[in-house]
Amino acid sequence: MNRSVAIQEMSEQLGLTSRTLRHWEAEGLFQSDRDVSSGWRVYDEHALACIRITAMLRKMDIPIKEIKTVLIANSIAGLSKVIEKKVNSLKKQREQVGLVEKQLTRVLEYLERQNEGNLVLDDILMETEAVFMSSLTEQHVFKIIDLAPMRVAFHIVVDVSPEDKVMGPLMDWLRSANLLGTARFFGGNMKPMPGSAGKPYGYGMCATIPEGVVVPEPFKEMTLPGGLFAMLESSDDIGGSWKTLMNQLSQSKKYRSDRGRLCLEEHIRNDHPEGSGNLYYLNLLEPVLLK
């Protein structure tokens, strides 16, 4: 007998957030149905198998695009191919780490030969410049943008799966008001912040609106502060992308986080979702100040 599992149950079983499950579905890895009585997303046995395979391969840091080929092929050969590719990638990384280790070891040997004399910076730089330039300098992957203040209508929901309940009503109103084509969308976690799987958390979504538009209930109006933001296009791993952005920002000599403003996720509409299954791309926006 076929068994269907609700999104909150699946989230608790695998330690995944409902947001992750929705994102994987948007990428076309599986499909859910809707429970008529509750409105929850539910997964049949095929979807459950796809979710478990996806969760396993994501733990191996295998990209969504390659996981999709595994699920489409539905074969041992397809699974072996992507794992073999990952193994080869890890081998190359290990070789690179080994090279850096050898370079640093040579620097240490050089320093030991100098005994305990004074530090002669010119000599040290000549000996170690290549090492520091090649192995210790990392380019920032984020961009700095300057947003102007924006008038927005916003909606906040606290639930175990709040994103759908936030976006659905807001999109319906924008569509009925003929504002959907011009609005920019920004979302972000709100209190209570996300915790363990299956626990309610807050999520807010806002959309830019022209002056003079009356905002109906249950939505509210505010001015979204502008300013400088560090922007990074998110991968399929939204949490991992946020970690990358914050780690890179912590290394910046020019910018630091501005805790006085909210971090944002801008939802960029995908005009050609066919084949990708993704209706939106995400740009992560962390407010920053000059150091």
Side-chain angles (χ1 to χ4, degrees):
M1 182 177 68
N2 289 335
R3 174 174 179 258
S4 294
V5 176
I7 187 170
Q8 67 269 33
E9 182 181 348
M10 197 71 222
S11 175
E12 292 174 357
Q13 286 181 5
L14 295 182
L16 299 168
T17 65
S18 57
R19 186 180 186 188
T20 296
L21 291 173
R22 284 195 306 275
H23 181 72
W24 288 352
E25 182 176 355
E27 291 289 345
L29 300 181
F30 49 83
Q31 289 185 336
S32 66
D33 295 314
R34 290 282 183 176
D35 181 79
V36 177
S37 59
S38 67
W40 289 109
R41 294 173 188 250
V42 293
Y43 307 101
D44 60 19
E45 290 184 353
H46 176 71
L48 295 176
C50 292
I51 291 170
R52 290 191 172 95
I53 292 172
T54 300
M56 176 189 70
L57 295 180
R58 285 302 296 140
K59 288 180 180 179
M60 300 178 189
D61 200 28
I62 292 176
I64 288 291
K65 183 178 180 180
E66 295 182 19
I67 295 175
K68 194 170 185 178
T69 66
V70 171
L71 297 178
I72 292 174
N74 192 29
S75 67
I76 293 177
L79 178 60
S80 298
K81 183 177 180 180
V82 298
I83 292 179
E84 182 180 2
K85 182 178 179 180
K86 183 63 179 179
V87 169
N88 291 333
S89 174
L90 291 173
K91 287 180 179 178
K92 290 181 179 179
Q93 291 178 26
R94 189 163 59 245
E95 291 173 358
Q96 292 172 349
V97 170
L99 177 61
V100 172
E101 182 181 2
K102 289 180 180 178
Q103 291 173 321
L104 294 175
T105 299
R106 288 203 302 269
V107 172
L108 284 175
E109 291 173 349
Y110 168 78
L111 295 175
E112 289 171 356
R113 290 197 300 270
Q114 308 311 306
N115 297 319
E116 296 183 358
N118 293 329
L119 183 65
V120 182
L121 291 178
D122 287 344
D123 292 344
I124 297 296
L125 288 173
M126 289 179 61
E127 183 69 21
T128 64
E129 182 178 10
V131 173
F132 289 115
M133 290 297 293
S134 62
S135 63
L136 298 183
T137 300
E138 185 175 6
Q139 295 295 320
H140 294 319
V141 296
F142 60 79
K143 297 179 181 178
I144 296 296
I145 63 171
D146 190 357
L147 289 180
M150 293 170 283
R151 180 176 183 248
V152 298
F154 72 94
H155 190 35
I156 299 173
V157 172
V158 176
D159 195 78
V160 294
S161 180
E163 288 88 349
D164 285 347
K165 294 183 179 181
V166 169
M167 291 187 68
L170 187 59
M171 295 297 178
D172 289 343
W173 170 63
L174 291 169
R175 190 177 293 109
S176 67
N178 295 319
L179 298 173
L180 196 58
T182 57
R184 294 179 68 178
F185 303 100
F186 299 89
N189 292 323
M190 311 293 291
K191 293 182 179 179
M193 302 303 285
S196 57
K199 293 293 183 65
Y201 61 95
Y203 193 82
M205 174 67 67
C206 60
T208 58
I209 53 174
E211 293 295 333
V213 172
V214 177
V215 178
E217 293 289 344
F219 314 118
K220 298 186 183 300
E221 176 188 335
M222 70 174 181
T223 298
L224 194 65
L228 295 179
F229 288 82
M231 183 185 76
L232 177 68
E233 183 177 339
S234 178
S235 70
D236 59 280
D237 181 3
I238 300 172
S241 295
W242 270 114
K243 289 180 180 177
T244 297
L245 174 56
M246 299 309 295
N247 287 339
Q248 288 287 319
L249 189 57
S250 69
Q251 299 173 30
S252 175
K253 296 180 180 179
K254 189 174 181 180
Y255 299 99
R256 62 179 176 85
S257 291
D258 178 6
R259 299 302 182 185
R261 291 180 289 150
L262 291 173
C263 60
L264 302 169
E265 296 172 352
E266 183 171 12
H267 292 61
I268 309 296
R269 287 186 297 273
N270 181 5
D271 293 330
H272 302 285
E274 299 83 4
S276 70
N278 199 355
L279 297 178
Y280 293 93
Y281 302 114
L282 282 186
N283 280 341
L284 311 183
L285 301 170
E286 174 67 16
V288 295
L289 295 171
L290 289 169
K291 286 185 175 180

